[in-house]
Amino acid sequence: KALSPRWGEQVTSHHRLRLLCKVATESSESTLPFASEEELVQRAKSYVANPTPDDLADDFIFRGPVIGPLNKSDFVATLSSVGGPGGIKAAFSDLQVNQFGFTVDPTEPNRVWYFERPRGTFTGAFDHPVVGRIEPTGAKYVGPPEARSVIFDSKRKVRYQSVGYVVDRFTGDTTGGRGAIFGMYYVMGQAMDATVGSPLTIFLQRLTEFLPEGLVPISYSKRESLPSWWKDERMGAEK
C-alpha cells in the first residue's frame, strides 16, 4: 500500500535527521550528536557568531571560491593576519554581518547553510598584510548576499567551512560584486580579481609558494598537509 502524502508531514525533525544520516556524503560522518535539526542549526549559529580554533576539527578544511583549501593551522594563521589591532574589526567597527536563513542541507544532514548581507563603514586604519597600512576613507561597505556553510563531525566540531559564494550581484553592492574579504578589500581601494579561473589570480597565488614562509598570507595549504578526506585537487582560483 502506498504511503499517504500526510506521512511525510508527520515525520518529526528528529526522525528526518536520523533518516538523512543514512545518505551522508563521503565528506560526512553518518552518526551525528544532535537530537534534532533545531539543535544542529543552533550549534551552527553559535559557531559563526563567535568562532574559535577550539571549534575546529583537527582535519578541518576552509574553502571559498578562490581561497583554499586551508587546513586548520593555516586557516587560523590567515585569520590572525587580518585580526587584532588594525584588523578588519578595527577598520569596520560598525560591521553588521546580517546572517539569516540557517537551514539543514537535505542531502548532507550535518551541513548547515546560511546567508549574509554585510554592511559597514571603513572608519579605521587597516594594516594590510601585504601593502601595509591603509587609512580610512569613510567608504560604505555594502556586500552582496552570499551563501556560506559549515559541516560538523560526530564530535560537534566544524570539519568544513565555505564562504564567499555570491548569489546575486545585482543588489546595489559597493564591492564590485565581490564577497567575503575580497569585498572589504575592494571598499578599501585594494581591488583583487576574485574570479574563478582568473589567470592573474592563479599566477599570484602560485608565486607565494616561492616566497619565504610567513611573508604574505597563503591562499591555500600545501597538498601534503591537507587531510586525507579532502579529494578535490583544485587549489585557489583554479577551475
Side-chain angles (χ1 to χ4, degrees):
K1 182 178 179 179
L3 291 173
S4 165
R6 290 184 175 275
W7 180 84
E9 300 173 3
Q10 296 168 356
V11 177
T12 65
S13 60
H14 171 66
H15 290 157
R16 179 169 175 262
L17 186 61
R18 292 181 61 187
L19 290 171
L20 287 172
C21 283
K22 297 180 180 180
V23 295
T25 62
E26 183 179 352
S27 65
S28 307
E29 298 199 11
S30 59
T31 302
L32 300 178
F34 299 101
S36 66
E37 289 187 355
E38 289 75 16
E39 184 181 349
L40 175 58
V41 167
Q42 189 55 48
R43 176 70 181 91
K45 288 182 177 180
S46 176
Y47 166 70
V48 300
N50 186 33
T52 70
D54 291 338
D55 291 310
L56 308 179
D58 291 338
D59 60 351
F60 169 83
I61 283 290
F62 170 90
R63 194 59 161 109
V66 299
I67 297 295
L70 290 169
N71 62 27
K72 180 178 179 177
S73 59
D74 290 337
F75 174 67
V76 172
T78 298
L79 287 186
S80 299
S81 70
V82 294
I88 290 297
K89 289 185 178 180
F92 298 90
S93 59
D94 63 343
L95 180 64
Q96 295 180 320
V97 292
N98 296 320
Q99 298 163 342
F100 65 100
F102 287 79
T103 187
V104 176
D105 190 306
T107 62
E108 292 180 88
N110 53 349
R111 186 172 197 163
V112 175
W113 291 90
Y114 62 99
F115 298 94
E116 284 192 3
R117 297 197 70 173
R119 300 290 187 272
T121 313
F122 182 28
T123 56
F126 176 70
D127 292 328
H128 194 286
V130 177
V131 303
R133 173 154 293 194
I134 303 174
E135 296 299 332
T137 62
K140 293 294 182 181
Y141 169 46
V142 179
E146 64 176 81
R148 300 187 171 208
S149 74
V150 289
I151 294 178
F152 293 94
D153 66 13
S154 61
K155 297 179 181 179
R156 303 172 69 99
K157 297 287 189 177
V158 178
R159 195 184 196 198
Y160 178 74
Q161 181 173 5
S162 66
V163 308
Y165 291 88
V166 173
V167 297
D168 189 347
R169 59 189 179 90
F170 304 105
T171 58
D173 62 76
T174 61
T175 68
R178 296 164 173 80
I181 191 67
F182 286 91
M184 293 180 169
Y185 281 169
Y186 187 91
V187 171
M188 291 187 282
Q190 298 295 317
M192 300 173 63
D193 191 348
T195 306
V196 174
S198 165
L200 176 59
T201 300
I202 293 173
F203 169 76
L204 292 175
Q205 290 179 332
R206 290 177 179 172
L207 183 62
T208 63
E209 297 180 23
F210 302 96
L211 298 177
E213 186 173 348
L215 182 62
V216 297
I218 61 175
S219 297
Y220 45 80
S221 299
K222 295 180 180 178
R223 293 184 188 275
E224 59 269 24
S225 69
L226 297 174
S228 60
W229 71 264
W230 182 258
K231 305 299 184 183
D232 197 298
E233 296 185 353
R234 290 170 292 184
M235 308 296 277
E238 293 176 352
K239 281 188 175 181

